[in-house]
Amino acid sequence: MARYQVTLTVRPPTWIERLWYWSLDIPAPRACSAPLRSEPWIRLLPQSWTRLHKRYANRHGFYWMPCLLCSRPYGGHQHAGSIPDPEYGPGSGRSVGICPHCTRHGHHVPIDYDDLLNH
């Protein structure tokens, strides 16, 4: 059996990352992974600048897909809030990302850390 080891480096969010979460009206996480150098800045651009965001996502290997709730396209670098995975439902410890627009309008569900620890 193959054995793999993954090392994640986390750090407190920078002021520009805290500004991103503030603009979404959600609390910033306690720790973040190291982003690409330009990622915190590009996320602050309006979501309506679709071509720029799509080009950035494609160039840096992020996904580009429609939001499950509103069908607006968004990239992995714009990932904001989340909802319980529709396939597994609430309480499963699984979630699906949604676009910044839906997050700003309160459609996200805050993560229940107790639920994540139980699974």
Side-chain angles (χ1 to χ4, degrees), residues 80-97:
S82 61
I83 59 171
D85 189 328
E87 188 173 333
Y88 296 96
S92 67
R94 299 176 185 212
S95 63
V96 177

Side-chain angles (χ1 to χ4, degrees), residues 12-83:
T14 63
W15 69 271
I16 195 75
E17 290 166 326
R18 288 193 306 272
L19 181 61
W20 163 250
Y21 288 103
W22 176 80
S23 74
L24 296 173
D25 199 27
I26 60 176
R30 294 181 190 132
C32 299
S33 61
L36 295 172
R37 194 170 175 188
S38 58
E39 184 180 341
W41 296 99
I42 197 87
R43 291 193 305 187
L44 292 174
L45 296 177
Q47 190 177 2
S48 60
W49 296 12
T50 307
R51 283 187 289 177
L52 180 70
H53 283 295
K54 184 176 182 179
R55 189 170 56 217
Y56 184 87
N58 289 335
R59 182 174 290 163
H60 296 288
F62 291 106
Y63 63 82
W64 184 259
M65 63 183 206
C67 176
L68 289 174
L69 300 179
C70 69
S71 299
R72 293 169 195 244
Y74 76 105
H77 65 287
Q78 295 175 287
H79 173 79
S82 61
I83 59 171

Side-chain angles (χ1 to χ4, degrees), residues 5-11 32-33:
Q5 180 177 352
V6 176
T7 303
L8 298 175
T9 305
V10 294
R11 55 165 178 69
C32 299
S33 61

